[in-house]
Every structure is written in structure tokens, then in C-alpha cells.
Amino acid sequence: MGRVRDLRTVGVEPGMTLRATGDGLAIPDARLTIDPARAHVWDPGLPRDARLRSNRASTDRLVVAAEVARVLAAGRAPSAGFGPLLVADGHGDPWLDAARVRIERQVAALADRDVEAAVEPAVGLIGLGTGLTPSGDDYLVGLLAGLEASGDRSWAPLARAIAAAAPSRTTAIGAAMLVHAARGEYTERLHDVLIALADGRSRGLAAAVGRAMAYGATSGADTLVGVFAAVRVATSGRARAAA
Amino acid sequence: MTLVTRGAVHKNSYRDSVELMGIAAQIEALEGIQRAGLVMATPANLGVVAAAGLADAVPAGAGSNDLIVVVAAADEAVADAAIARAAALLAAGGDGGGGSGEGASEAPAAQTLGEGVAELPDANLALISTPGTYAAAEALRALKLGLNVLLFSDNVSIEDEIRLKTLADERGLLVMGPDCGTAIVADVP
């Protein structure tokens, strides 16, 4: 069976009742049963092939892959949220200016391996921006995922600080998302972006970036800004260590 | 010139950022309005609002799950009109949380295209502004209701775009977009 993109194509309409049947789920009005015995179990933790490796050759490749991904994302960047940051645009917009200052301070602190100094700008990004999940929240999810993928140990204490601050600083949905990210739980779209970055081939990058950017009105773009910030941290640190 | 600031709160109201930015842009375009913002009242956003000189406009008690509208205007009448206009635009977008701002309509807004057409039988245009994943299905529904479509949403696949425009062509209707930008139709931006 192929992918079902729209449940209406299998007869499911908004408002129908979903019943637990004991060994599965059923939507009687659509004559649909969902049998978990045949379901794939999906783990929100980062898969092994999403790890960004850390020798010098792969760092060079990662820098190139991230730039390709950024250009791909910039081509479809929304004008709202942090999208303009993908194209180094939006100067003079008070939200983007606030975001840009905090992101740069955070990236500089993380590149210096100063997690403590990275916490304050991270907390300042929680709840920053418009929308259902404010752009700052989406950015931080991308950042945490990217840091974890690159094996950067700063991600765990930073994640704990973000999870502790989130409930009082953002929307209920944004806070829930950040708490999950702090546990290392991310969306499949985000896994795919990191897998594509680790692999580095442009076809995979185009597909993964396309799917990520299609998520939400600006959330996908905001998340990618965070991933690219994490790649900057990872590659700048390694470049210095190798020098 | 002394600016007048005004604000309204829409409790537990969630909107996507493109919709909010679009409404803010429409409010800022009104004559006599210098600044306008529609954001969730998180501490980070309130900090930016204060830095923009709009701290006085923030309604007391607004929290992180509340949407606030803040404006700075040349005079009180312009400020009040802008707040009312923002409430109307939010209501027109299908208010999920029940607007409680000044000027918000108490009448339940239509929640679906079908309900909208029932209310406005002469309507001939639907503006679709949802995340791209859902936009094609809504546009298809609008076309089947005999409506022309202004498809503001982006991230609609080329296959869906072709399907929509083929159907529109068959029915003598127009699909503008996806990623259509804004337009002024019958004097309404």
C-alpha cells in the first residue's frame, strides 16, 4: 500500500468518531480499522545515520553540505518568522534584529565551548517571534538536534536549561516541543535533514530540505536556521582544534 | 508628534505566523498608523514590543498563550479603528479561540468554506491562507463550490497546482497562486 497523503481519500472526514477496539483502532463510519500489529515502531531519538562525523575531511564535506542545504532552503524561505535569516535579510525588523543578536551570541559562546554563556541568549530566544510555535522555539529545536548530531556535549546542559525555562516563557505547544527536544526527541523531518547532511549528497539534501521547509507556515525554515547554527558551531570548533 | 498606543488581547488564540504578519502589514498600511504588531504575549515578544516603544499598549494579564495586537497611531480614533480592524481580520480568518479584543465580533464566524458560502451566497472568491500541506485540499473544495481562488499559501506541490488549475479551467474559474502574494479585491486588501 502506498502512502496516504490525505485521509479523505480513504473515506475519513473531519468529525468522525475514532474507537479503541481492544486490539486496534477503528473509524466505523469510514469502514477503516487500524491494526497496530503490523505497524512500524518509530523512535523520535536521532538515528545512527544522522550523526555528523568529526574528522577533518568530513568536516569540510559537512560545511559544503550545510551551504548547499542553506541555499536550497533560502530559495523557498518564507518572509515571516526567521526565514529572512536564511538569506541574510530582514535588517530593521525588530524581531529579526533581536533574534540575530541572540543567535550570534549563542553561536559564539558555543564555539568557545562556554555553555553557560550560551544559556542566556537561548532563554532569550524561547517564545520569540510570531505563530503557533514561536520562531525562536523552532530554531532551538533545530539547534539542539544539530548539536546532538555533531556529538557536541554542550547540548545536554543547554537542553536542560531550555526545558526548564520553556514552560514560563512560551506557548503551551512551543514548550511541549522544547521539552521533547531536550530529551533528544525530534520529528522525522528533522531526522531526515540531519541524515542528508551527514550523507552530503545533493539529491538527498534537496528532498529533505524540501520536506522540512514545507512544515508549518514558517516552522520548517525556523528549524533549519537552528540546524545551520549548530553546524557552524561544530565546524568552527573542529577547525580550531585541528589548527 | 505624540503617538497614541492601543492594545487588545485575544485569549488562547493560535495563528500561524504568515497570517499574523499579513494582518500586521494590513494594519500598518492604514493611514495614521506608525507601528503594529500581532504576536503571542511571551516574555521574549513583550521585550521586543517594549523596545519598540509599545509597552503601554500591552493589555494587563496577557500571557504566553494569548495573542496580543498592539498599535502606535497618530490619534486615538485611528488607534481604536486599527484595533477593531485587526479583530475583524482575525475573526475573518476563522477565530479558533474566541476574540475578546475591542471590536471583536460576538457572532460565530463561519468555520468552513461551505458555511461561508451559506452565509454569503453571492461570494465568488475564496482566499486560501493555510500551511501549504492543507492548502490544495481547501482550494479544491473552493473550486467545487464554484469559487475563484486566491491561493496565498506556498509549498503547494506542482502536481496539486496542475490539478487545481485544470479543474478551474474546466469550470471557468480562476486560480491565482500558489504563493500569490496580496491583492486588493473590491477595495479590500
Side-chain angles (χ1 to χ4, degrees):
Chain A
M1 182 175 157
R3 280 174 180 242
V4 177
R5 289 183 180 278
D6 183 342
L7 283 175
R8 282 170 287 209
T9 62
V10 292
V12 178
E13 292 289 338
M16 283 184 174
T17 302
L18 176 72
R19 287 183 199 287
T21 59
D23 52 4
L25 296 167
I27 305 174
D29 289 343
R31 294 187 199 156
L32 188 75
T33 56
I34 298 164
D35 177 5
R38 295 169 63 192
H40 291 279
V41 177
W42 178 75
D43 181 351
L46 278 188
R48 189 182 296 268
D49 50 357
R51 307 284 163 189
L52 307 173
R53 290 176 196 80
S54 59
N55 61 55
R56 187 187 280 198
S58 60
T59 297
D60 292 344
R61 218 176 51 203
L62 176 59
V63 170
V64 173
E67 181 57 14
V68 169
R70 190 195 61 79
V71 170
L72 287 165
R76 31 203 315 183
S79 53
F82 287 0
L85 298 180
L86 290 167
V87 287
D89 198 1
H91 288 275
D93 175 287
W95 267 271
L96 284 173
D97 288 343
R100 193 180 282 113
V101 167
R102 289 162 205 191
I103 289 170
E104 289 313 313
R105 275 177 48 210
Q106 184 187 51
V107 167
L110 289 170
D112 285 343
R113 298 286 171 267
D114 188 348
V115 182
E116 230 165 87
V119 167
E120 193 210 324
V123 170
L125 281 157
I126 298 171
L128 183 72
T130 53
L132 188 64
T133 50
S135 299
D137 299 358
D138 290 310
Y139 162 87
L140 288 169
V141 169
L143 178 88
L144 291 176
L147 291 177
E148 185 186 349
S150 64
D152 186 326
R153 292 183 183 186
S154 62
W155 90 275
L158 183 64
R160 281 196 294 275
I162 290 169
S168 65
R169 300 191 67 87
T170 188
T171 63
I173 295 173
M177 183 179 74
L178 285 172
V179 167
H180 279 285
R183 284 190 217 138
E185 296 169 354
Y186 313 101
T187 63
E188 191 173 12
R189 287 181 179 84
L190 190 43
H191 291 181
D192 289 348
V193 167
L194 290 162
I195 290 169
L197 281 172
D199 179 65
R201 274 176 285 197
S202 50
R203 183 175 294 189
L205 279 169
V209 167
R211 276 196 302 276
M213 291 293 287
Y215 182 66
T218 61
S219 288
D222 300 336
T223 308
L224 287 183
V225 173
V227 171
F228 298 147
V231 170
R232 277 166 61 204
V233 170
T235 53
S236 71
R238 280 175 200 147
R240 256 207 318 282
Chain B
M1 184 175 70
T2 309
L3 290 172
V4 177
T5 60
R6 282 282 188 282
V9 60
H10 296 257
K11 286 274 176 195
N12 293 312
S13 187
Y14 282 127
R15 297 309 171 88
D16 76 55
S17 44
V18 169
E19 183 183 353
L20 294 176
M21 193 192 70
I23 295 175
Q26 288 184 52
I27 300 302
E28 278 192 337
L30 297 174
E31 204 174 323
I33 294 292
Q34 193 178 46
R35 284 190 295 278
L38 283 83
V39 289
M40 303 308 287
T42 62
N45 284 339
L46 293 180
V48 176
V49 166
L54 286 161
D56 293 345
V58 177
S64 291
N65 289 304
D66 303 327
L67 173 65
I68 54 167
V69 182
V70 289
V71 299
D75 63 48
E76 291 186 4
V78 171
D80 289 338
I83 292 290
R85 177 86 185 123
L89 289 168
L90 284 168
D95 196 332
S100 60
E102 294 166 52
S105 167
E106 291 304 312
Q111 298 287 315
T112 65
L113 283 166
E115 287 172 22
V117 169
E119 270 180 38
L120 295 170
D122 294 334
N124 64 6
L125 175 73
L127 166 63
I128 312 280
S129 177
T130 66
T133 320
Y134 312 107
E138 290 302 327
L140 189 62
R141 200 167 291 177
L143 289 171
K144 287 180 175 172
L145 287 164
L147 300 169
N148 297 293
V149 171
L150 175 64
L151 192 49
F152 183 76
S153 310
D154 59 1
N155 292 319
V156 174
S157 72
I158 189 78
E159 292 80 14
D160 281 340
E161 184 179 346
I162 291 168
R163 200 172 306 138
L164 290 170
K165 288 182 174 172
T166 304
L167 178 67
D169 187 42
E170 283 167 17
R171 302 201 172 192
L173 296 167
L174 192 60
V175 172
M176 294 166 276
D179 199 9
C180 191
T182 55
I184 297 173
V185 179
D187 292 334
V188 180

